[in-house]
Amino acid sequence: MTALLMAEQLHKTYGPTVALAGADLAVHAGEVVSVMGPSGSGKSTLLHCAAGLIRPDAGRVIYAGQALAELGDVRLSAVRRREFGFVFQFGQLVPELTALQNVALPLRLDGVPRRTAERRAAGLMDRLGLADRARSRPGQLSGGQQQRIAVARALVTGPKVIFADEPTGALDSVTGEQVMDMLTDAARESGAAVVLVTHDARVAAYADRGVVVRDGRSASRAGAR
Amino acid sequence: MTIATAFLALLEGQPQHGYDLKRAYDQHFGSDRPLHYAQVYTTLAKLLKNGLVTVDGADSEHGPDRKRYTITDAGVTDVQRWLDEPEKPDQYLKSSLYAKVIGALLTGRSPAAVLDVQREEHLVMMRELTRRKRGGDLADRLVCDHALFHLEADLRWLEHTATVLDQLAEQVRR
Amino acid sequence: MRRILAELALGMRLAFAGGRRGGVRTALATVGVAVGATGLLLAASVPVMLDARHARAEARSDFVAGEQIPAGRTTIVAGVDGQWRDNQIRGRLIWPETPDAPLPPGVTAFPGEHRMYASPALQAALAGPDGATLRRQIPYEVAGTIAPAGLSGPQEFAYYAGYERVTSLVEVSSWRVDRFGFPEDDPDGGVGTYVIIVVLVATLLTPVALFIAAALRFGGDTRDRRLAAIRLIGADSRAILRMAVGESLVPAGLGLLLGTAAYLGVRHQAARFHFLDISVYPGDVRPAPLLAVLAVALIVALAAGVTLLGFRGVTVEPLGVLREAEVWRGRLWWRLVPLAASLPLLYPVLQGRTDVGEGRIGLGVILLIATVIPLLPYLVPLVARLLPADTVSWQLASQQLRRNPASSTRAVGGIVVAVAGAIALQSVFAVAAGGPHSPDELAFLLQARGAQSPAAMRERTEMFERVDGVRAGTVAQYLLFGEGLGRRNLIVGDCRSLSQIAVLQGCKPGAAFTTQPTDKPMIVDVGATDPVAGPKVAVPAHAGRATIIDDTIGGPGPSVLLTTMPAQLARVEPSFVETRVFTTARPAEVAGQVRAVAAEIDPLALFAGSASETDPFEPLRVALDIGSVLVLLLMTAGLLLDVASRLHERRRILGVLAAVGARNGTVVWSVLLQVVVPVGAGLVLAVGAGAGIGALLMRLSQLPVTFTAATVLTPVVAGAGLVLVTTMVVLLPAVRRVTRTEDLRFE
């Protein structure tokens, strides 16, 4: 079976710092893959390259048979909007918008009319048990609640791949587990694959298999079991 | 890890006399329990019988401790098999895993690969525990969490060891 | 006390330790303070400058105020003030009655006949381009230069010419003085001019204050983190405030130094400028001590005040900076306080009174200008709510404008003030300058004396008509003897000349006209000063009807207009011989030559330009134009700083938006709208405030209250255009950089 998303031999340097030196990543439809590694190993850079957020200096990323590098900014943005979802560590919600408006944002960005977008967002938040928070603004929510709103936002467009970059990095272990339970359950339910960058082994254990990045290289064979 | 595997690992670095083997073993693997000479020669005899080492006969007239032992191809394969096989993640992991790292260093193999194999084994275990935990009640969760936190501690040690491998290599080479 | 000083000093050292952003902040605040300090010091110098000028004017004054001084050790003087382009010319024809007669200040000896002492500026103009035309107006040979003691300023046009004929015209065109240095009224421009200058200064300096505030805010987050680190090692929260104040004193101090240097530079060059016919010697430019101290205190207080205000709602804790979530309370009442305070102060003016104290009006107007600053943050969320939030970019922008209007509008306040002031002043200047000159309007009037034959009058008309684009007409006016109130006028001139002052039906040589039926014979008054009965002239029986159209002629009674000179008047000297000059060109273009002709006819004749040859507010308008552009540039810089800070604060959010697939355009638009909407709302407010202040100023200057689209829209378009262009050019690349998802790295 060919992978949904394939990153091959990625290289990326920031000035004198080598972030990636030939990293690989393959993600199959519907699976949860963890990317682990010590800080500075390049695991976030690997995620950013794979998600088309940054362009690698060398190597290629192929999503659904299409090389991301060949897409222009407009089509690449459209892929990120429709096919990908994102959860970051913190500070990702627009503080002036309500939770509902934040969740509806990716749909709005894709041109869905406001009412329709917010109705779909409200339905999703209802299913995820977040309905009572819909009218709050991010400043009024705890860190865990904010992350769950962010997960809802990542899911709202029905993406094929969700990229989560240290999604529990700013949370305590119990809250982190709740967010991970919600993320992996919802992803499995909708059939979305998850790429989970974390330095925390217990978070990585939510994955079906793991990849380790060290010194900008994928260090271990992606031995699924 | 057995004394036999340790001797093979030591011999893969270079052919040695029995006396040197004992000294090297004591230094790297047996810090609190030095080997008896009897153990050394019975182990070497067993290795000879299995065809994993050969004796370099040049100095044979000077007694057993003057014999030089050399590893055979079968011996090298045996060392490789040992290093490739991850340890079962349990709480006595440290000593045997540490021995493997030293073994890899002594034989010029990659200690990082040893650690990676072990990490993967740990992660597989952790995934299994996480799956069980998510399906279970609170008691199951707590039991699984206990194991998970221990495994996580092992993993941290693995990561830590991985970052000091260069230093360790230098020390072993000395 | 020592500890407090040490804390201030530590703060000052920190001003140089802020990295690149800290450096930018110190540099910009310094520039702002320098501009403000230069302006304030110059403003503080104005009273001293005007006093010095007034003292010089009084020292040479020959204004006897009607007093008749008996002959003795006296000098006879005649005033022959003229004009050359934008410059008033103070001319005096003098002749001593005794060798020890008083000399005017700045002159070392009496000039001989047709020789003169002239000011350096006048001599330069005589030698300059078209000096020959000026020489016709002042046909005297230069005998010497008037020393500074005799001039009001270095750029003044002035001369004293020896002219013996003045001795025969005492009490007619000339008068005796026994000294120079009579008291003179302060040449006060009136309340209107005073308030216009107040508005000008306030319009230009308020934005500078706001700019300084914006500059000091730039990079404030870095500063706060640094202060948090200092708290960690044991400083208390008050000490932190003192360090922050100390840090802000660095740009204040540097700016004061720079501003003083700029002020000294301007002062050094002061002699080269002239402004509203005022030029000053550098020695006369020095700040009034009290005002200078106030200016310095104001700047230091502003720097410290802005810093302390910035800590409102911010707590610097050892482990970080806590910012109280800014909860926007859109309360209106206190925002109306400046407006409410200004209206009672200005109420009498709105009623049409102009005799109100200057201080009161000045304060009222400044408050009225300041009104826009607190009103703007109230207006912007209103506008944001009214516009439908259909696109994502506007949803993002409008939510931010509604949640946090104070931060979105603080940089716009200065632009609004500058534009409001510019609208007000431009409107006033446009009305004051008057409309275009009509060829049928009287441009110049020459009133001379002496017996006139019809031929001589025709010759006088022709002398003026030799100037291109000029029509003229000359009439003789006679006062009549023994007529009281409602007395009649007798006017003699040819048909062409008479038809310039009255509507005549069927004029031909020999015709006569009256404005009202009258038949009593007229006795001409031939006395030079006291009435003396002269020849009698009958009112012709066949006189036609005339209607006077020139209100400068005659008296209130009926006028009799004759087209032929009655024989008995041939030897009688008319009371006035008036030559009216009209032009199809702009009066300013022909003024030099017309004045030359007038001076050639008789330098002692009264000559007046009735149309404005110059726009009295021209220099103010130039100052306003230059000032507005500078202030708008400064404001735009402030706005960019502010937006850059906000982008910096929000770079994560913008990066995440880009990551989840927002098009670049969406993010750019949301940022742009956050700038454009407050500026737009502010400009609407500026039009309202500017028109209000403009109307007030027109009332004060007793001008008709009128506005033209050009004067209102030019500042608006300039403000909006400048903001938009700079925002596009400078901001968009910054937005692009922020939304480059590469910056999402945060490990």
Side-chain angles (χ1 to χ4, degrees):
Chain A
M1 182 179 135
T2 54
L4 177 63
L5 180 76
M6 287 273 284
E8 295 169 346
Q9 283 302 302
L10 299 184
H11 291 258
K12 181 78 187 174
T13 54
Y14 294 105
T17 321
V18 179
L20 292 180
D24 301 314
L25 178 70
V27 181
H28 294 90
E31 69 168 348
V32 181
V33 185
S34 70
V35 179
M36 289 187 74
S39 13
S41 61
K43 57 188 189 298
S44 277
T45 307
L46 175 57
L47 177 135
H48 291 158
C49 283
L53 293 175
I54 52 182
R55 290 184 192 273
D57 300 336
R60 56 179 195 159
V61 179
I62 295 171
Y63 170 74
Q66 171 73 60
L68 293 187
E70 287 165 15
L71 299 174
D73 179 59
V74 172
R75 287 185 57 204
L76 186 58
S77 292
V79 166
R80 287 205 303 265
R81 257 191 333 265
R82 294 171 195 154
E83 312 279 314
F84 295 168
F86 291 90
V87 182
F88 297 99
Q89 183 173 359
F90 62 90
Q92 49 191 322
L93 301 178
V94 181
E96 291 84 12
L97 300 183
T98 63
L100 178 67
Q101 287 167 335
N102 265 297
V103 174
L105 198 57
L107 292 171
R108 302 268 292 119
L109 289 171
D110 205 28
V112 177
R114 188 173 174 171
R115 273 170 197 288
T116 319
E118 290 186 2
R119 203 171 48 238
R120 275 168 62 186
L124 175 67
M125 290 177 77
D126 206 17
R127 282 202 303 287
L128 294 176
L130 296 169
D132 56 331
R133 293 293 169 194
R135 301 197 62 79
S136 310
R137 284 177 211 279
Q140 301 162 323
L141 298 174
S142 69
Q145 287 165 335
Q146 287 187 32
Q147 281 311 81
R148 278 185 283 177
I149 299 297
V151 169
R153 186 178 68 185
L155 287 161
V156 76
T157 52
K160 298 281 191 299
V161 186
I162 295 174
F163 294 92
D165 193 355
E166 301 279 9
T168 63
L171 305 177
D172 63 77
S173 65
V174 175
T175 317
E177 279 181 12
Q178 288 168 351
V179 170
M180 284 314 299
D181 282 343
M182 175 181 156
L183 171 62
T184 44
D185 285 346
R188 251 181 262 280
E189 203 174 293
S190 68
V194 178
V195 179
L196 179 62
V197 163
T198 180
H199 68 282
D200 183 339
R202 289 189 308 115
V203 171
Y206 278 83
D208 301 317
R209 63 185 180 87
V211 176
V212 172
V213 181
R214 178 168 298 129
D215 299 331
R217 280 187 201 86
S218 317
S220 76
R221 298 138 292 199
R225 192 176 294 188
Chain B
M1 187 198 72
T2 60
I3 300 169
T5 324
F7 277 12
L8 285 176
L10 288 168
L11 286 173
E12 191 176 335
Q14 63 187 90
Q16 294 183 57
H17 300 290
Y19 174 75
D20 299 330
L21 270 175
K22 173 192 149 45
R23 282 227 336 248
Y25 181 94
D26 288 349
Q27 185 190 340
H28 294 303
F29 303 109
S31 53
D32 49 349
R33 271 185 303 146
L35 283 181
H36 296 296
Y37 277 102
Q39 281 175 294
V40 175
Y41 294 112
T42 45
T43 305
L44 283 172
K46 202 160 73 192
L47 290 173
L48 263 175
K49 198 176 78 192
N50 292 341
L52 300 176
V53 296
T54 53
V55 178
D56 187 344
D59 292 336
S60 55
E61 71 272 22
H62 291 100
D65 62 329
R66 298 313 302 163
K67 282 183 187 156
R68 229 160 68 125
Y69 295 89
T70 306
I71 194 165
T72 64
D73 285 348
V76 171
T77 310
D78 214 55
V79 172
Q80 185 64 50
R81 199 181 306 128
W82 169 60
L83 289 176
D84 282 351
E85 179 71 22
E87 295 295 313
K88 189 166 164 23
D90 65 28
Q91 56 185 346
Y92 301 112
L93 171 79
K94 191 223 101 195
S95 52
S96 47
L97 190 60
Y98 176 71
K100 262 191 192 165
V101 170
I102 298 298
L105 284 171
L106 283 171
T107 57
R109 290 184 170 84
S110 160
V114 171
L115 294 175
D116 284 342
V117 167
Q118 191 60 47
R119 180 192 299 103
E120 186 55 34
E121 186 66 17
H122 267 65
L123 280 172
V124 167
M125 183 75 153
M126 286 180 79
R127 276 182 218 127
E128 176 55 35
L129 284 166
T130 303
R131 247 192 305 278
R132 258 167 45 199
K133 178 173 109 172
R134 295 178 71 184
D137 58 14
L138 185 60
D140 289 334
R141 287 184 82 101
L142 289 175
V143 169
C144 291
D145 271 340
H146 184 261
L148 280 168
F149 280 114
H150 275 282
L151 289 169
E152 190 191 2
D154 282 349
L155 275 176
R156 289 219 200 110
W157 179 84
L158 285 172
E159 290 301 336
H160 176 74
T161 307
T163 59
V164 296
L165 278 178
D166 288 348
Q167 266 172 276
L168 190 62
E170 199 143 304
Q171 207 170 308
V172 168
R173 234 174 280 128
R174 233 183 308 119
Chain C
M1 191 63 207
R2 274 230 334 260
R3 225 191 67 202
I4 290 177
L5 286 180
E7 284 157 4
L8 286 175
L10 177 59
M12 288 163 106
R13 264 209 310 284
L14 290 176
F16 299 100
R20 199 170 58 90
R21 280 164 64 80
V24 167
R25 146 210 181 86
T26 305
L28 286 171
T30 301
V31 169
V33 170
V35 171
T38 312
L40 282 175
L41 285 174
L42 283 175
S45 304
V46 167
V48 178
M49 237 154 66
L50 293 182
D51 282 353
R53 187 179 123 85
H54 184 58
R56 292 166 173 285
E58 280 204 324
R60 66 171 186 199
S61 173
D62 49 21
F63 181 66
V64 295
E67 188 190 346
Q68 291 198 4
I69 292 166
R73 285 178 41 218
T74 44
T75 303
I76 297 174
V77 298
V80 284
D81 291 349
Q83 182 157 6
W84 177 247
R85 302 201 172 126
D86 288 347
N87 303 281
Q88 302 286 339
I89 305 171
R90 183 182 191 268
R92 290 293 184 269
L93 303 182
I94 55 174
W95 201 256
E97 293 194 292
T98 57
D100 56 352
L103 267 171
V107 174
T108 46
F110 282 101
E113 178 72 359
H114 278 84
R115 293 167 65 80
M116 67 170 171
Y117 279 78
S119 69
L122 179 59
Q123 291 185 38
L126 283 168
D130 210 15
T133 308
L134 179 58
R135 186 161 289 284
R136 285 169 66 197
Q137 199 186 131
I138 309 172
Y140 314 105
E141 199 186 321
V142 175
T145 301
I146 306 175
L151 297 171
S152 74
Q155 295 295 324
E156 189 183 36
F157 282 40
Y159 65 92
Y160 293 97
Y163 201 75
E164 195 170 3
R165 188 159 77 91
V166 294
T167 55
S168 62
L169 291 168
V170 175
E171 300 311 322
V172 179
S173 301
S174 59
W175 63 94
R176 281 196 179 86
V177 294
D178 55 357
R179 65 182 188 278
F180 287 88
F182 289 87
E184 246 184 30
D185 282 344
D186 208 330
D188 192 349
V191 177
T193 308
Y194 167 80
V195 176
I196 283 173
I197 290 177
V198 166
V199 172
L200 188 70
V201 172
T203 299
L204 300 182
L205 286 186
T206 311
V208 170
L210 292 174
F211 174 79
I212 296 171
L216 284 180
R217 227 172 4 239
F218 184 75
D221 50 341
T222 327
R223 193 253 336 252
D224 293 350
R225 277 201 296 280
R226 204 163 52 228
L227 291 178
I230 293 174
R231 281 219 63 179
L232 190 60
I233 54 173
D236 62 37
S237 60
R238 296 187 148 271
I240 291 300
L241 287 186
R242 285 192 287 269
M243 280 176 214
V245 168
E247 189 173 342
S248 73
L249 289 182
V250 169
L254 288 178
L256 270 175
L257 283 181
L258 209 64
T260 308
Y263 167 78
L264 291 177
V266 171
R267 179 179 185 264
H268 190 65
Q269 300 293 320
R272 299 170 56 170
F273 301 113
H274 74 124
F275 191 77
L276 272 183
D277 248 309
I278 296 173
S279 63
V280 291
Y281 289 103
D284 293 342
V285 182
R286 45 181 199 277
L290 181 65
L291 291 179
V293 169
L294 271 179
V296 171
L298 188 71
I299 285 168
V300 173
L302 182 74
V306 165
T307 306
L308 292 179
L309 263 184
F311 277 102
R312 222 180 24 174
V314 175
T315 322
V316 179
E317 291 293 333
L319 289 176
V321 183
L322 295 180
R323 254 166 242 284
E324 264 172 48
E326 278 182 76
V327 179
W328 170 246
R329 289 181 215 90
R331 277 192 306 223
L332 183 59
W333 67 267
W334 68 265
R335 297 171 190 283
L336 291 174
V337 166
L339 183 64
S342 72
L343 288 182
L345 289 174
L346 296 173
Y347 183 69
V349 181
L350 300 174
Q351 297 269 293
R353 281 172 54 193
T354 54
D355 57 339
V356 192
E358 303 172 347
R360 175 175 175 168
I361 299 180
L363 185 63
V365 168
I366 290 177
L367 280 173
L368 196 57
I369 294 178
T371 294
V372 300
I373 298 172
L375 273 183
L376 193 59
Y378 186 79
L379 188 68
V380 166
L382 277 184
V383 174
R385 202 165 311 151
L386 287 179
L387 298 176
D390 275 344
T391 62
V392 192
S393 42
W394 173 236
Q395 186 187 20
L396 290 169
S398 75
Q399 288 294 340
Q400 217 204 330
L401 290 176
R402 284 165 60 178
R403 307 293 301 174
N404 200 352
S407 76
S408 312
T409 53
R410 58 192 171 200
V412 180
I415 295 174
V416 175
V417 168
V419 171
I423 290 174
L425 294 171
Q426 295 287 18
S427 301
V428 173
F429 295 162
V431 175
H437 178 75
S438 147
D440 296 327
E441 262 176 76
L442 181 62
F444 302 97
L445 178 66
L446 174 75
Q447 280 189 340
R449 307 181 70 88
Q452 290 295 310
S453 65
M457 283 164 63
R458 209 159 30 247
E459 166 58 18
R460 186 165 289 184
T461 299
E462 280 165 12
M463 283 176 75
F464 281 106
E465 292 192 334
R466 274 178 218 132
V467 180
D468 278 347
V470 165
R471 277 182 306 116
T474 306
V475 298
Q477 258 196 85
Y478 299 85
L479 289 180
L480 298 183
F481 179 80
E483 304 207 2
L485 277 171
R487 63 180 195 183
R488 296 175 295 177
N489 310 291
L490 174 57
I491 299 160
V492 180
D494 57 19
C495 274
R496 209 171 135 241
S497 301
L498 286 179
S499 62
Q500 287 172 351
I501 56 172
V503 178
L504 310 171
Q505 280 159 348
C507 183
K508 57 180 188 295
F513 300 89
T514 60
T515 55
Q516 286 166 36
T518 173
D519 50 7
K520 207 162 62 130
M522 298 171 287
I523 301 163
V524 176
D525 183 347
V526 296
T529 46
D530 297 319
V532 175
K536 190 188 281 184
V537 179
V539 178
H542 57 277
R545 189 50 47 86
T547 311
I548 299 287
I549 50 170
D550 184 330
D551 54 11
T552 62
I553 194 126
S559 295
V560 178
L561 289 75
L562 304 179
T563 53
T564 45
M565 180 78 73
Q568 61 272 43
L569 291 185
R571 302 207 166 280
V572 175
E573 194 171 300
S575 304
F576 313 105
V577 177
E578 296 186 342
T579 306
R580 287 181 164 63
V581 179
F582 301 82
T583 177
T584 51
R586 283 198 309 116
E589 280 172 26
V590 295
Q593 284 174 288
V594 170
R595 283 180 182 278
V597 172
E600 280 163 5
I601 290 166
D602 182 357
L604 286 166
L606 272 172
F607 182 85
S610 66
S612 61
E613 284 164 54
T614 57
D615 176 354
F617 287 118
E618 178 65 24
L620 275 187
R621 195 205 306 260
V622 170
L624 176 67
D625 286 346
I626 297 172
S628 303
V629 169
L630 283 179
V631 163
L632 280 177
L633 281 175
L634 208 57
M635 287 299 89
T636 311
L639 180 69
L640 289 175
L641 272 190
D642 198 73
V643 176
S645 309
R646 274 189 285 149
L647 281 182
H648 187 73
E649 281 164 23
R650 292 175 70 81
R651 62 195 186 285
R652 252 203 86 70
I653 285 289
L654 295 175
V656 169
L657 279 179
V660 300
R663 288 177 198 86
N664 242 334
T666 306
V667 178
V668 167
W669 265 113
S670 80
V671 173
L672 207 56
L673 281 170
Q674 279 175 51
V675 178
V676 167
V677 169
V679 169
L683 289 178
V684 171
L685 203 59
V687 169
I693 297 165
L696 196 80
L697 293 178
M698 289 179 209
R699 281 248 159 146
L700 274 175
S701 305
Q702 291 164 320
L703 296 166
V705 177
T706 40
F707 290 97
T708 59
T711 56
V712 174
L713 291 182
T714 308
V716 171
V717 170
L722 204 58
V723 169
L724 281 184
V725 169
T726 32
T727 310
M728 296 281 193
V729 172
V730 182
L731 197 55
L732 293 195
V735 175
R736 268 178 218 292
R737 211 180 55 237
V738 169
T739 56
R740 258 198 343 224
T741 38
E742 317 237 340
D743 285 345
L744 270 175
R745 297 188 301 143
F746 52 84
E747 272 184 300

